[in-house]
Amino acid sequence: MKLRTFAPALAAAALATLAALPAHAQTEIQWWHSMTGGLNDWVVDLANGYNASQKDFKIVPTYKGTYDESMTAAIAAFRAGNAPHILQVFEVGTATMMAAKGAIVPVGKVLADAGYKFDPKAYIPAVAGYYTAPNGQMLSFPFNSSTTVFYINRDAFKAAGLDPQQAAADLARAGPGRRQAQGLGSRLPLHDELAELDPAGELLDLAQRGTGHQEQRPGRPGRTAGLQQSAARAAYREPGQYGPAGLVPLPWPRQQARRGLLLGRVRHGHHVVGSYGTIKRNAKFGFALATLPYYPDVPGAPQNTVIGGASLWVMSGKKPAEYKGVAAFFNFLTDPAIQAGSHQMTGYLPITLASFELTEKSGFYKQNPGTDTAVNQMIRKTTDKSRGIRLGNMLQIRAIVDEELEEVW
């Protein structure tokens, strides 16, 4: 009803009538997340957009601390009978959530029960595959999917008399076994250093049973192998050449690599593409994105890089009507326009091929060179060694490996 077409008296009468009617009762859907800063704004915008698109449900996003803090809080809330409907969980918590029998409802079932179809072919294979059970059932909803790319400080390269594009190409061909320009930075931990840095798949299995993908319960950790990259770095490390030397003291916190890039102290390095939005907003220099270095002599190289980021899990114990709201919200998030907008704003991967194609057609990648790097890496051939690590207690496992790798470096 467009009240501006009415006479003032009729408009007043209509408003009075509407005010007398009972308000439509909305079903609230609680969404716990771990996004801060601009990413928190993004989450709130998504919730507001969905809430404005219909009247039956209201998504209520709530920041619950870091990823490990929010997952711990959700488990405690589940035991107390007041868990959220939706929980954002980082990828290293996937196996733990899979093993939480009775605590979660597979998102594939939630979508199917509400009449929505899950088509695995619509998603980037490496993304959907990580969150899908061996029987093909989608367990959680890919949300802020990420992977590692190579960041280059273009201004620093130019100041050193180097062509950023040509130098990046030389680095990619050389692989990390060759001495590189001063100021290479990296972020830990295990899955970044031993998997995401090795898109060629030259690693041995990092754990038994296909790094945990062959079963739905947490895979028991097996041998930790694939130290080719680490040994190479240890061989050429000199002050200022790699990692914490000349940048920050050991141990190296996860966010120090991004901080080093932002301060201009790290000239180039590998970091998650999910940091693209933050770096773009805050960097005082020109920068570029490039593919990760890899060993070209490995058969089948390069393969896809490994997924990072987080997904959305549906907690059990809710009413059927509430699950309909969850499914409707997830369907809203899969809209190509919504996905494309999120991808372009945050740097996170578009989870569907349609949103990638929409972004490409819009000219965004031409206007922002390098922003398609992560997608191009992820749509490469996926193998058993490049589809990610899915182990229970992954936080504890990688903490131990971090300590050992710090000794190596």
Side-chain angles (χ1 to χ4, degrees), residues 154-240:
R154 296 178 62 90
D155 291 354
F157 271 53
K158 290 178 180 178
L162 300 172
D163 176 79
Q165 292 182 336
Q166 185 60 46
D170 291 342
L171 288 171
R173 285 194 295 270
R178 173 185 172 185
R179 288 189 178 182
Q180 300 178 10
Q182 181 175 2
L184 171 62
S186 174
R187 63 178 290 222
L188 297 178
L190 170 67
H191 71 294
D192 295 327
E193 290 299 327
L194 297 188
E196 290 179 353
L197 277 178
D198 295 281
E202 65 268 39
L203 298 177
L204 302 174
D205 288 337
L206 292 174
Q208 297 169 347
R209 285 176 291 281
T211 60
H213 283 262
Q214 296 176 3
E215 55 186 20
Q216 293 192 37
R217 62 188 178 87
R220 294 190 299 274
R223 66 189 183 281
T224 300
L227 294 177
Q228 181 177 355
Q229 296 266 0
S230 301
R233 292 197 187 102
Y236 72 73
R237 176 182 172 186
E238 293 180 359

Side-chain angles (χ1 to χ4, degrees), residues 77-142:
F78 171 75
R79 292 171 178 169
N82 57 358
H85 299 81
I86 303 171
L87 174 66
Q88 182 190 26
V89 179
F90 54 172
E91 87 287 0
V92 297
T94 298
T96 300
M97 295 299 293
M98 290 172 62
K101 301 298 183 183
I104 62 101
V105 181
V107 70
K109 182 180 187 306
V110 174
L111 292 170
D113 290 348
Y116 297 104
K117 182 180 179 181
F118 164 60
D119 181 11
K121 295 181 180 179
Y123 294 76
I124 294 177
V127 174
Y130 188 81
Y131 299 113
T132 301
N135 63 5
Q137 186 179 50
M138 195 174 188
L139 300 174
S140 62
F141 185 83

